Amino acid sequence: MYSQKVMDHFTNPRNVGEIETPDGVGEVGNAKCGDIMKIYLKVEENVITDVKFKTYGCGSAIASSSMATEMIKGKTVEEALNLTNKAVAEALDGLPPVKMHCSVLAEQAIKKALQDYARKNNLDIPGLTDIEIDDDHDHHEEIED
Ligand SMILES: [Zn+2]
């Protein structure tokens, strides 16, 4: 069901942990499998010099975070902003369709961390400010039956 790359990043995830004085932090969650993902960024002169993550969740969420952090390390803020969950899933040689939302989480956590970075530094990063992040946690209270 899972590709070797998914299994590799799940059993041996890269960049796990946290950064003590991060330049940006982003946390997102999804209700579907209870994944919570937190990404820490260190940014120097517009380049992501370090990135760490903490993910509580399913194997796909952990593998996606691991791969996504590898993909943005050493990249510029703009390059990181353009990382899509599709690219993450492709780099993992695919995810089962029911697990695609777990890779969406990685993309959103990175964008949230970049938003945090931009806010803290009063930066206007083109394309960043109008990103709508669908955070499942905020929707729980709205759902009533
Ligand atoms: Zn998941």
Side-chain angles (χ1 to χ4, degrees):
M1 173 168 171
Y2 289 114
S3 73
Q4 274 188 344
K5 273 194 185 160
V6 172
M7 289 311 292
D8 177 35
H9 278 265
F10 169 55
T11 51
N12 179 28
R14 281 61 147 185
N15 309 310
V16 176
E18 59 186 279
I19 294 173
E20 257 180 53
T21 52
D23 296 305
V25 180
E27 186 175 359
V28 291
N30 77 46
K32 275 187 187 150
C33 43
D35 304 321
I36 298 171
M37 193 180 289
K38 198 165 181 180
I39 290 213
Y40 303 80
L41 298 178
K42 198 85 197 157
V43 186
E44 277 165 43
E45 289 173 16
N46 203 45
V47 172
I48 295 164
T49 53
D50 200 10
V51 48
K52 295 260 192 266
F53 79 90
K54 273 184 168 176
T55 295
Y56 302 95
C58 70
S60 298
I62 289 164
S64 297
S65 329
S66 171
M67 180 55 89
T69 55
E70 284 282 276
M71 289 171 84
I72 63 165
K73 209 182 213 178
K75 298 281 166 63
T76 65
V77 166
E78 288 75 20
E79 284 169 331
L81 193 57
N82 287 326
L83 182 77
T84 63
N85 75 295
K86 264 191 162 174
V88 174
E90 270 167 29
L92 287 167
D93 290 337
L95 283 169
V98 295
K99 289 292 180 184
M100 278 306 284
H101 66 270
C102 308
S103 64
V104 173
L105 220 55
E107 177 190 331
Q108 290 181 337
I110 288 168
K111 282 181 177 158
K112 259 202 164 170
L114 289 170
Q115 279 178 339
D116 184 42
Y117 163 71
R119 207 166 33 231
K120 281 177 179 162
N121 292 279
N122 281 320
L123 294 175
D124 188 17
I125 301 170
L128 181 61
T129 43
D130 45 12
I131 291 167
E132 284 283 328
I133 290 173
D134 182 29
D135 190 337
D136 283 337
H137 285 303
D138 294 338
H139 295 176
H140 279 195
E141 287 151 41
E142 293 160 25
I143 301 163
E144 284 173 43
D145 39 17

mmCIF file with all atom_site columns, all heavy atoms in Angstrom, residues 2-28:
data_model
loop_
_atom_site.group_PDB
_atom_site.id
_atom_site.type_symbol
_atom_site.label_atom_id
_atom_site.label_alt_id
_atom_site.label_comp_id
_atom_site.label_asym_id
_atom_site.label_entity_id
_atom_site.label_seq_id
_atom_site.pdbx_PDB_ins_code
_atom_site.Cartn_x
_atom_site.Cartn_y
_atom_site.Cartn_z
_atom_site.occupancy
_atom_site.B_iso_or_equiv
_atom_site.pdbx_formal_charge
_atom_site.auth_seq_id
_atom_site.auth_comp_id
_atom_site.auth_asym_id
_atom_site.auth_atom_id
_atom_site.pdbx_PDB_model_num
ATOM 1   N N   . TYR A 1 2  ? 1.956  1.232  0.788  1.00 0.00 ? 2  TYR A N   1
ATOM 2   C CA  . TYR A 1 2  ? 2.843  2.392  0.813  1.00 0.00 ? 2  TYR A CA  1
ATOM 3   C C   . TYR A 1 2  ? 4.104  2.143  -0.001 1.00 0.00 ? 2  TYR A C   1
ATOM 4   O O   . TYR A 1 2  ? 4.620  1.023  -0.025 1.00 0.00 ? 2  TYR A O   1
ATOM 5   C CB  . TYR A 1 2  ? 3.258  2.729  2.248  1.00 0.00 ? 2  TYR A CB  1
ATOM 6   C CG  . TYR A 1 2  ? 2.139  3.301  3.077  1.00 0.00 ? 2  TYR A CG  1
ATOM 7   C CD1 . TYR A 1 2  ? 1.638  2.611  4.162  1.00 0.00 ? 2  TYR A CD1 1
ATOM 8   C CD2 . TYR A 1 2  ? 1.601  4.540  2.755  1.00 0.00 ? 2  TYR A CD2 1
ATOM 9   C CE1 . TYR A 1 2  ? 0.605  3.137  4.924  1.00 0.00 ? 2  TYR A CE1 1
ATOM 10  C CE2 . TYR A 1 2  ? 0.569  5.075  3.513  1.00 0.00 ? 2  TYR A CE2 1
ATOM 11  C CZ  . TYR A 1 2  ? 0.077  4.365  4.596  1.00 0.00 ? 2  TYR A CZ  1
ATOM 12  O OH  . TYR A 1 2  ? -0.937 4.889  5.329  1.00 0.00 ? 2  TYR A OH  1
ATOM 13  N N   . SER A 1 3  ? 4.610  3.194  -0.631 1.00 0.00 ? 3  SER A N   1
ATOM 14  C CA  . SER A 1 3  ? 5.855  3.074  -1.383 1.00 0.00 ? 3  SER A CA  1
ATOM 15  C C   . SER A 1 3  ? 7.028  2.913  -0.408 1.00 0.00 ? 3  SER A C   1
ATOM 16  O O   . SER A 1 3  ? 6.918  3.218  0.781  1.00 0.00 ? 3  SER A O   1
ATOM 17  C CB  . SER A 1 3  ? 6.072  4.320  -2.243 1.00 0.00 ? 3  SER A CB  1
ATOM 18  O OG  . SER A 1 3  ? 6.437  5.408  -1.420 1.00 0.00 ? 3  SER A OG  1
ATOM 19  N N   . GLN A 1 4  ? 8.149  2.448  -0.945 1.00 0.00 ? 4  GLN A N   1
ATOM 20  C CA  . GLN A 1 4  ? 9.341  2.296  -0.105 1.00 0.00 ? 4  GLN A CA  1
ATOM 21  C C   . GLN A 1 4  ? 9.782  3.633  0.479  1.00 0.00 ? 4  GLN A C   1
ATOM 22  O O   . GLN A 1 4  ? 10.261 3.699  1.604  1.00 0.00 ? 4  GLN A O   1
ATOM 23  C CB  . GLN A 1 4  ? 10.480 1.715  -0.943 1.00 0.00 ? 4  GLN A CB  1
ATOM 24  C CG  . GLN A 1 4  ? 10.436 0.193  -0.985 1.00 0.00 ? 4  GLN A CG  1
ATOM 25  C CD  . GLN A 1 4  ? 11.666 -0.408 -1.644 1.00 0.00 ? 4  GLN A CD  1
ATOM 26  O OE1 . GLN A 1 4  ? 12.405 0.294  -2.322 1.00 0.00 ? 4  GLN A OE1 1
ATOM 27  N NE2 . GLN A 1 4  ? 11.866 -1.681 -1.439 1.00 0.00 ? 4  GLN A NE2 1
ATOM 28  N N   . LYS A 1 5  ? 9.621  4.681  -0.309 1.00 0.00 ? 5  LYS A N   1
ATOM 29  C CA  . LYS A 1 5  ? 10.035 6.009  0.161  1.00 0.00 ? 5  LYS A CA  1
ATOM 30  C C   . LYS A 1 5  ? 9.180  6.460  1.340  1.00 0.00 ? 5  LYS A C   1
ATOM 31  O O   . LYS A 1 5  ? 9.686  7.067  2.279  1.00 0.00 ? 5  LYS A O   1
ATOM 32  C CB  . LYS A 1 5  ? 9.958  7.028  -0.977 1.00 0.00 ? 5  LYS A CB  1
ATOM 33  C CG  . LYS A 1 5  ? 11.228 7.067  -1.785 1.00 0.00 ? 5  LYS A CG  1
ATOM 34  C CD  . LYS A 1 5  ? 11.284 8.277  -2.685 1.00 0.00 ? 5  LYS A CD  1
ATOM 35  C CE  . LYS A 1 5  ? 12.526 8.192  -3.565 1.00 0.00 ? 5  LYS A CE  1
ATOM 36  N NZ  . LYS A 1 5  ? 12.408 9.047  -4.753 1.00 0.00 ? 5  LYS A NZ  1
ATOM 37  N N   . VAL A 1 6  ? 7.879  6.180  1.269  1.00 0.00 ? 6  VAL A N   1
ATOM 38  C CA  . VAL A 1 6  ? 7.000  6.528  2.384  1.00 0.00 ? 6  VAL A CA  1
ATOM 39  C C   . VAL A 1 6  ? 7.451  5.764  3.630  1.00 0.00 ? 6  VAL A C   1
ATOM 40  O O   . VAL A 1 6  ? 7.610  6.338  4.713  1.00 0.00 ? 6  VAL A O   1
ATOM 41  C CB  . VAL A 1 6  ? 5.516  6.208  2.066  1.00 0.00 ? 6  VAL A CB  1
ATOM 42  C CG1 . VAL A 1 6  ? 4.647  6.397  3.300  1.00 0.00 ? 6  VAL A CG1 1
ATOM 43  C CG2 . VAL A 1 6  ? 5.011  7.086  0.933  1.00 0.00 ? 6  VAL A CG2 1
ATOM 44  N N   . MET A 1 7  ? 7.703  4.470  3.453  1.00 0.00 ? 7  MET A N   1
ATOM 45  C CA  . MET A 1 7  ? 8.125  3.648  4.590  1.00 0.00 ? 7  MET A CA  1
ATOM 46  C C   . MET A 1 7  ? 9.454  4.140  5.162  1.00 0.00 ? 7  MET A C   1
ATOM 47  O O   . MET A 1 7  ? 9.656  4.185  6.372  1.00 0.00 ? 7  MET A O   1
ATOM 48  C CB  . MET A 1 7  ? 8.260  2.177  4.165  1.00 0.00 ? 7  MET A CB  1
ATOM 49  C CG  . MET A 1 7  ? 6.928  1.489  3.897  1.00 0.00 ? 7  MET A CG  1
ATOM 50  S SD  . MET A 1 7  ? 5.711  1.720  5.211  1.00 0.00 ? 7  MET A SD  1
ATOM 51  C CE  . MET A 1 7  ? 6.488  0.776  6.533  1.00 0.00 ? 7  MET A CE  1
ATOM 52  N N   . ASP A 1 8  ? 10.361 4.526  4.258  1.00 0.00 ? 8  ASP A N   1
ATOM 53  C CA  . ASP A 1 8  ? 11.669 5.024  4.681  1.00 0.00 ? 8  ASP A CA  1
ATOM 54  C C   . ASP A 1 8  ? 11.531 6.303  5.509  1.00 0.00 ? 8  ASP A C   1
ATOM 55  O O   . ASP A 1 8  ? 12.101 6.431  6.586  1.00 0.00 ? 8  ASP A O   1
ATOM 56  C CB  . ASP A 1 8  ? 12.530 5.276  3.436  1.00 0.00 ? 8  ASP A CB  1
ATOM 57  C CG  . ASP A 1 8  ? 13.884 5.871  3.795  1.00 0.00 ? 8  ASP A CG  1
ATOM 58  O OD1 . ASP A 1 8  ? 14.433 5.511  4.860  1.00 0.00 ? 8  ASP A OD1 1
ATOM 59  O OD2 . ASP A 1 8  ? 14.385 6.700  3.014  1.00 0.00 ? 8  ASP A OD2 1
ATOM 60  N N   . HIS A 1 9  ? 10.739 7.243  5.003  1.00 0.00 ? 9  HIS A N   1
ATOM 61  C CA  . HIS A 1 9  ? 10.582 8.515  5.725  1.00 0.00 ? 9  HIS A CA  1
ATOM 62  C C   . HIS A 1 9  ? 9.734  8.366  6.971  1.00 0.00 ? 9  HIS A C   1
ATOM 63  O O   . HIS A 1 9  ? 9.842  9.172  7.898  1.00 0.00 ? 9  HIS A O   1
ATOM 64  C CB  . HIS A 1 9  ? 9.991  9.587  4.790  1.00 0.00 ? 9  HIS A CB  1
ATOM 65  C CG  . HIS A 1 9  ? 11.023 10.220 3.924  1.00 0.00 ? 9  HIS A CG  1
ATOM 66  N ND1 . HIS A 1 9  ? 11.667 11.401 4.250  1.00 0.00 ? 9  HIS A ND1 1
ATOM 67  C CD2 . HIS A 1 9  ? 11.562 9.821  2.747  1.00 0.00 ? 9  HIS A CD2 1
ATOM 68  C CE1 . HIS A 1 9  ? 12.540 11.708 3.299  1.00 0.00 ? 9  HIS A CE1 1
ATOM 69  N NE2 . HIS A 1 9  ? 12.495 10.760 2.374  1.00 0.00 ? 9  HIS A NE2 1
ATOM 70  N N   . PHE A 1 10 ? 8.891  7.338  6.996  1.00 0.00 ? 10 PHE A N   1
ATOM 71  C CA  . PHE A 1 10 ? 8.080  7.098  8.187  1.00 0.00 ? 10 PHE A CA  1
ATOM 72  C C   . PHE A 1 10 ? 8.926  6.456  9.291  1.00 0.00 ? 10 PHE A C   1
ATOM 73  O O   . PHE A 1 10 ? 8.885  6.871  10.449 1.00 0.00 ? 10 PHE A O   1
ATOM 74  C CB  . PHE A 1 10 ? 6.890  6.202  7.839  1.00 0.00 ? 10 PHE A CB  1
ATOM 75  C CG  . PHE A 1 10 ? 6.142  5.692  9.045  1.00 0.00 ? 10 PHE A CG  1
ATOM 76  C CD1 . PHE A 1 10 ? 5.647  6.578  10.004 1.00 0.00 ? 10 PHE A CD1 1
ATOM 77  C CD2 . PHE A 1 10 ? 5.931  4.337  9.228  1.00 0.00 ? 10 PHE A CD2 1
ATOM 78  C CE1 . PHE A 1 10 ? 4.964  6.113  11.122 1.00 0.00 ? 10 PHE A CE1 1
ATOM 79  C CE2 . PHE A 1 10 ? 5.256  3.861  10.337 1.00 0.00 ? 10 PHE A CE2 1
ATOM 80  C CZ  . PHE A 1 10 ? 4.773  4.751  11.290 1.00 0.00 ? 10 PHE A CZ  1
ATOM 81  N N   . THR A 1 11 ? 9.740  5.475  8.913  1.00 0.00 ? 11 THR A N   1
ATOM 82  C CA  . THR A 1 11 ? 10.516 4.774  9.940  1.00 0.00 ? 11 THR A CA  1
ATOM 83  C C   . THR A 1 11 ? 11.781 5.539  10.310 1.00 0.00 ? 11 THR A C   1
ATOM 84  O O   . THR A 1 11 ? 12.319 5.366  11.388 1.00 0.00 ? 11 THR A O   1
ATOM 85  C CB  . THR A 1 11 ? 10.903 3.356  9.474  1.00 0.00 ? 11 THR A CB  1
ATOM 86  O OG1 . THR A 1 11 ? 11.518 3.443  8.188  1.00 0.00 ? 11 THR A OG1 1
ATOM 87  C CG2 . THR A 1 11 ? 9.687  2.458  9.375  1.00 0.00 ? 11 THR A CG2 1
ATOM 88  N N   . ASN A 1 12 ? 12.245 6.406  9.401  1.00 0.00 ? 12 ASN A N   1
ATOM 89  C CA  . ASN A 1 12 ? 13.469 7.153  9.654  1.00 0.00 ? 12 ASN A CA  1
ATOM 90  C C   . ASN A 1 12 ? 13.278 8.613  9.232  1.00 0.00 ? 12 ASN A C   1
ATOM 91  O O   . ASN A 1 12 ? 13.899 9.091  8.292  1.00 0.00 ? 12 ASN A O   1
ATOM 92  C CB  . ASN A 1 12 ? 14.614 6.497  8.856  1.00 0.00 ? 12 ASN A CB  1
ATOM 93  C CG  . ASN A 1 12 ? 15.920 7.227  9.041  1.00 0.00 ? 12 ASN A CG  1
ATOM 94  O OD1 . ASN A 1 12 ? 16.163 7.856  10.054 1.00 0.00 ? 12 ASN A OD1 1
ATOM 95  N ND2 . ASN A 1 12 ? 16.771 7.164  8.023  1.00 0.00 ? 12 ASN A ND2 1
ATOM 96  N N   . PRO A 1 13 ? 12.365 9.317  9.916  1.00 0.00 ? 13 PRO A N   1
ATOM 97  C CA  . PRO A 1 13 ? 12.037 10.683 9.487  1.00 0.00 ? 13 PRO A CA  1
ATOM 98  C C   . PRO A 1 13 ? 13.198 11.655 9.668  1.00 0.00 ? 13 PRO A C   1
ATOM 99  O O   . PRO A 1 13 ? 13.942 11.573 10.644 1.00 0.00 ? 13 PRO A O   1
ATOM 100 C CB  . PRO A 1 13 ? 10.851 11.070 10.373 1.00 0.00 ? 13 PRO A CB  1
ATOM 101 C CG  . PRO A 1 13 ? 10.871 10.129 11.514 1.00 0.00 ? 13 PRO A CG  1
ATOM 102 C CD  . PRO A 1 13 ? 11.582 8.892  11.077 1.00 0.00 ? 13 PRO A CD  1
ATOM 103 N N   . ARG A 1 14 ? 13.342 12.538 8.699  1.00 0.00 ? 14 ARG A N   1
ATOM 104 C CA  . ARG A 1 14 ? 14.383 13.565 8.739  1.00 0.00 ? 14 ARG A CA  1
ATOM 105 C C   . ARG A 1 14 ? 13.857 14.826 9.417  1.00 0.00 ? 14 ARG A C   1
ATOM 106 O O   . ARG A 1 14 ? 12.666 15.111 9.334  1.00 0.00 ? 14 ARG A O   1
ATOM 107 C CB  . ARG A 1 14 ? 14.797 13.943 7.313  1.00 0.00 ? 14 ARG A CB  1
ATOM 108 C CG  . ARG A 1 14 ? 15.755 12.985 6.622  1.00 0.00 ? 14 ARG A CG  1
ATOM 109 C CD  . ARG A 1 14 ? 15.210 11.595 6.458  1.00 0.00 ? 14 ARG A CD  1
ATOM 110 N NE  . ARG A 1 14 ? 15.665 10.906 5.254  1.00 0.00 ? 14 ARG A NE  1
ATOM 111 C CZ  . ARG A 1 14 ? 15.237 9.716  4.864  1.00 0.00 ? 14 ARG A CZ  1
ATOM 112 N NH1 . ARG A 1 14 ? 14.346 9.061  5.581  1.00 0.00 ? 14 ARG A NH1 1
ATOM 113 N NH2 . ARG A 1 14 ? 15.690 9.176  3.760  1.00 0.00 ? 14 ARG A NH2 1
ATOM 114 N N   . ASN A 1 15 ? 14.772 15.573 10.025 1.00 0.00 ? 15 ASN A N   1
ATOM 115 C CA  . ASN A 1 15 ? 14.455 16.907 10.572 1.00 0.00 ? 15 ASN A CA  1
ATOM 116 C C   . ASN A 1 15 ? 13.397 16.901 11.676 1.00 0.00 ? 15 ASN A C   1
ATOM 117 O O   . ASN A 1 15 ? 12.625 17.846 11.815 1.00 0.00 ? 15 ASN A O   1
ATOM 118 C CB  . ASN A 1 15 ? 14.002 17.866 9.452  1.00 0.00 ? 15 ASN A CB  1
ATOM 119 C CG  . ASN A 1 15 ? 14.979 17.895 8.292  1.00 0.00 ? 15 ASN A CG  1
ATOM 120 O OD1 . ASN A 1 15 ? 16.177 18.052 8.501  1.00 0.00 ? 15 ASN A OD1 1
ATOM 121 N ND2 . ASN A 1 15 ? 14.495 17.729 7.088  1.00 0.00 ? 15 ASN A ND2 1
ATOM 122 N N   . VAL A 1 16 ? 13.368 15.841 12.462 1.00 0.00 ? 16 VAL A N   1
ATOM 123 C CA  . VAL A 1 16 ? 12.423 15.799 13.580 1.00 0.00 ? 16 VAL A CA  1
ATOM 124 C C   . VAL A 1 16 ? 12.967 16.638 14.728 1.00 0.00 ? 16 VAL A C   1
ATOM 125 O O   . VAL A 1 16 ? 14.165 16.618 15.006 1.00 0.00 ? 16 VAL A O   1
ATOM 126 C CB  . VAL A 1 16 ? 12.201 14.358 14.081 1.00 0.00 ? 16 VAL A CB  1
ATOM 127 C CG1 . VAL A 1 16 ? 11.285 14.342 15.296 1.00 0.00 ? 16 VAL A CG1 1
ATOM 128 C CG2 . VAL A 1 16 ? 11.614 13.501 12.978 1.00 0.00 ? 16 VAL A CG2 1
ATOM 129 N N   . GLY A 1 17 ? 12.094 17.372 15.387 1.00 0.00 ? 17 GLY A N   1
ATOM 130 C CA  . GLY A 1 17 ? 12.501 18.140 16.557 1.00 0.00 ? 17 GLY A CA  1
ATOM 131 C C   . GLY A 1 17 ? 11.948 19.542 16.499 1.00 0.00 ? 17 GLY A C   1
ATOM 132 O O   . GLY A 1 17 ? 10.971 19.799 15.806 1.00 0.00 ? 17 GLY A O   1
ATOM 133 N N   . GLU A 1 18 ? 12.555 20.438 17.261 1.00 0.00 ? 18 GLU A N   1
ATOM 134 C CA  . GLU A 1 18 ? 12.116 21.816 17.189 1.00 0.00 ? 18 GLU A CA  1
ATOM 135 C C   . GLU A 1 18 ? 13.314 22.750 17.209 1.00 0.00 ? 18 GLU A C   1
ATOM 136 O O   . GLU A 1 18 ? 14.398 22.362 17.632 1.00 0.00 ? 18 GLU A O   1
ATOM 137 C CB  . GLU A 1 18 ? 11.130 22.154 18.305 1.00 0.00 ? 18 GLU A CB  1
ATOM 138 C CG  . GLU A 1 18 ? 11.633 21.971 19.703 1.00 0.00 ? 18 GLU A CG  1
ATOM 139 C CD  . GLU A 1 18 ? 10.491 22.201 20.708 1.00 0.00 ? 18 GLU A CD  1
ATOM 140 O OE1 . GLU A 1 18 ? 10.195 23.354 21.013 1.00 0.00 ? 18 GLU A OE1 1
ATOM 141 O OE2 . GLU A 1 18 ? 9.914  21.198 21.187 1.00 0.00 ? 18 GLU A OE2 1
ATOM 142 N N   . ILE A 1 19 ? 13.096 23.966 16.728 1.00 0.00 ? 19 ILE A N   1
ATOM 143 C CA  . ILE A 1 19 ? 14.149 24.981 16.720 1.00 0.00 ? 19 ILE A CA  1
ATOM 144 C C   . ILE A 1 19 ? 13.867 25.925 17.877 1.00 0.00 ? 19 ILE A C   1
ATOM 145 O O   . ILE A 1 19 ? 12.732 26.398 18.030 1.00 0.00 ? 19 ILE A O   1
ATOM 146 C CB  . ILE A 1 19 ? 14.169 25.723 15.365 1.00 0.00 ? 19 ILE A CB  1
ATOM 147 C CG1 . ILE A 1 19 ? 14.576 24.753 14.245 1.00 0.00 ? 19 ILE A CG1 1
ATOM 148 C CG2 . ILE A 1 19 ? 15.126 26.918 15.421 1.00 0.00 ? 19 ILE A CG2 1
ATOM 149 C CD1 . ILE A 1 19 ? 14.457 25.322 12.844 1.00 0.00 ? 19 ILE A CD1 1
ATOM 150 N N   . GLU A 1 20 ? 14.873 26.176 18.704 1.00 0.00 ? 20 GLU A N   1
ATOM 151 C CA  . GLU A 1 20 ? 14.646 26.950 19.920 1.00 0.00 ? 20 GLU A CA  1
ATOM 152 C C   . GLU A 1 20 ? 14.222 28.392 19.666 1.00 0.00 ? 20 GLU A C   1
ATOM 153 O O   . GLU A 1 20 ? 13.327 28.906 20.312 1.00 0.00 ? 20 GLU A O   1
ATOM 154 C CB  . GLU A 1 20 ? 15.896 26.915 20.796 1.00 0.00 ? 20 GLU A CB  1
ATOM 155 C CG  . GLU A 1 20 ? 15.722 25.961 21.969 1.00 0.00 ? 20 GLU A CG  1
ATOM 156 C CD  . GLU A 1 20 ? 16.947 25.911 22.855 1.00 0.00 ? 20 GLU A CD  1
ATOM 157 O OE1 . GLU A 1 20 ? 17.392 26.983 23.282 1.00 0.00 ? 20 GLU A OE1 1
ATOM 158 O OE2 . GLU A 1 20 ? 17.467 24.791 23.082 1.00 0.00 ? 20 GLU A OE2 1
ATOM 159 N N   . THR A 1 21 ? 14.861 29.037 18.734 1.00 0.00 ? 21 THR A N   1
ATOM 160 C CA  . THR A 1 21 ? 14.474 30.408 18.408 1.00 0.00 ? 21 THR A CA  1
ATOM 161 C C   . THR A 1 21 ? 14.117 30.477 16.923 1.00 0.00 ? 21 THR A C   1
ATOM 162 O O   . THR A 1 21 ? 14.867 30.989 16.111 1.00 0.00 ? 21 THR A O   1
ATOM 163 C CB  . THR A 1 21 ? 15.612 31.407 18.711 1.00 0.00 ? 21 THR A CB  1
ATOM 164 O OG1 . THR A 1 21 ? 16.806 30.920 18.070 1.00 0.00 ? 21 THR A OG1 1
ATOM 165 C CG2 . THR A 1 21 ? 15.856 31.540 20.188 1.00 0.00 ? 21 THR A CG2 1
ATOM 166 N N   . PRO A 1 22 ? 12.940 29.947 16.595 1.00 0.00 ? 22 PRO A N   1
ATOM 167 C CA  . PRO A 1 22 ? 12.556 29.896 15.175 1.00 0.00 ? 22 PRO A CA  1
ATOM 168 C C   . PRO A 1 22 ? 12.172 31.265 14.636 1.00 0.00 ? 22 PRO A C   1
ATOM 169 O O   . PRO A 1 22 ? 11.742 32.141 15.390 1.00 0.00 ? 22 PRO A O   1
ATOM 170 C CB  . PRO A 1 22 ? 11.347 28.960 15.183 1.00 0.00 ? 22 PRO A CB  1
ATOM 171 C CG  . PRO A 1 22 ? 10.754 29.124 16.533 1.00 0.00 ? 22 PRO A CG  1
ATOM 172 C CD  . PRO A 1 22 ? 11.889 29.413 17.466 1.00 0.00 ? 22 PRO A CD  1
ATOM 173 N N   . ASP A 1 23 ? 12.335 31.446 13.338 1.00 0.00 ? 23 ASP A N   1
ATOM 174 C CA  . ASP A 1 23 ? 11.885 32.680 12.689 1.00 0.00 ? 23 ASP A CA  1
ATOM 175 C C   . ASP A 1 23 ? 10.433 32.568 12.261 1.00 0.00 ? 23 ASP A C   1
ATOM 176 O O   . ASP A 1 23 ? 9.773  33.572 12.010 1.00 0.00 ? 23 ASP A O   1
ATOM 177 C CB  . ASP A 1 23 ? 12.772 32.979 11.482 1.00 0.00 ? 23 ASP A CB  1
ATOM 178 C CG  . ASP A 1 23 ? 14.213 33.254 11.911 1.00 0.00 ? 23 ASP A CG  1
ATOM 179 O OD1 . ASP A 1 23 ? 14.407 34.141 12.755 1.00 0.00 ? 23 ASP A OD1 1
ATOM 180 O OD2 . ASP A 1 23 ? 15.126 32.572 11.419 1.00 0.00 ? 23 ASP A OD2 1
ATOM 181 N N   . GLY A 1 24 ? 9.953  31.342 12.193 1.00 0.00 ? 24 GLY A N   1
ATOM 182 C CA  . GLY A 1 24 ? 8.547  31.140 11.853 1.00 0.00 ? 24 GLY A CA  1
ATOM 183 C C   . GLY A 1 24 ? 8.084  29.784 12.330 1.00 0.00 ? 24 GLY A C   1
ATOM 184 O O   . GLY A 1 24 ? 8.828  28.811 12.253 1.00 0.00 ? 24 GLY A O   1
ATOM 185 N N   . VAL A 1 25 ? 6.856  29.741 12.843 1.00 0.00 ? 25 VAL A N   1
ATOM 186 C CA  . VAL A 1 25 ? 6.278  28.475 13.292 1.00 0.00 ? 25 VAL A CA  1
ATOM 187 C C   . VAL A 1 25 ? 4.882  28.342 12.697 1.00 0.00 ? 25 VAL A C   1
ATOM 188 O O   . VAL A 1 25 ? 4.135  29.314 12.644 1.00 0.00 ? 25 VAL A O   1
ATOM 189 C CB  . VAL A 1 25 ? 6.160  28.427 14.842 1.00 0.00 ? 25 VAL A CB  1
ATOM 190 C CG1 . VAL A 1 25 ? 5.550  27.101 15.287 1.00 0.00 ? 25 VAL A CG1 1
ATOM 191 C CG2 . VAL A 1 25 ? 7.506  28.625 15.497 1.00 0.00 ? 25 VAL A CG2 1
ATOM 192 N N   . GLY A 1 26 ? 4.565  27.150 12.240 1.00 0.00 ? 26 GLY A N   1
ATOM 193 C CA  . GLY A 1 26 ? 3.228  26.914 11.700 1.00 0.00 ? 26 GLY A CA  1
ATOM 194 C C   . GLY A 1 26 ? 2.680  25.615 12.219 1.00 0.00 ? 26 GLY A C   1
ATOM 195 O O   . GLY A 1 26 ? 3.373  24.601 12.214 1.00 0.00 ? 26 GLY A O   1
ATOM 196 N N   . GLU A 1 27 ? 1.449  25.656 12.693 1.00 0.00 ? 27 GLU A N   1
ATOM 197 C CA  . GLU A 1 27 ? 0.828  24.439 13.191 1.00 0.00 ? 27 GLU A CA  1
ATOM 198 C C   . GLU A 1 27 ? -0.528 24.249 12.537 1.00 0.00 ? 27 GLU A C   1
ATOM 199 O O   . GLU A 1 27 ? -1.324 25.173 12.471 1.00 0.00 ? 27 GLU A O   1
ATOM 200 C CB  . GLU A 1 27 ? 0.666  24.501 14.717 1.00 0.00 ? 27 GLU A CB  1
ATOM 201 C CG  . GLU A 1 27 ? 0.152  23.191 15.291 1.00 0.00 ? 27 GLU A CG  1
ATOM 202 C CD  . GLU A 1 27 ? 0.104  23.180 16.815 1.00 0.00 ? 27 GLU A CD  1
ATOM 203 O OE1 . GLU A 1 27 ? 0.490  24.171 17.441 1.00 0.00 ? 27 GLU A OE1 1
ATOM 204 O OE2 . GLU A 1 27 ? -0.337 22.161 17.361 1.00 0.00 ? 27 GLU A OE2 1
ATOM 205 N N   . VAL A 1 28 ? -0.743 23.055 12.028 1.00 0.00 ? 28 VAL A N   1
ATOM 206 C CA  . VAL A 1 28 ? -2.037 22.739 11.434 1.00 0.00 ? 28 VAL A CA  1
ATOM 207 C C   . VAL A 1 28 ? -2.466 21.345 11.874 1.00 0.00 ? 28 VAL A C   1
ATOM 208 O O   . VAL A 1 28 ? -1.655 20.556 12.352 1.00 0.00 ? 28 VAL A O   1
ATOM 209 C CB  . VAL A 1 28 ? -2.003 22.778 9.882  1.00 0.00 ? 28 VAL A CB  1
ATOM 210 C CG1 . VAL A 1 28 ? -1.835 24.180 9.356  1.00 0.00 ? 28 VAL A CG1 1
ATOM 211 C CG2 . VAL A 1 28 ? -0.927 21.860 9.339  1.00 0.00 ? 28 VAL A CG2 1
#
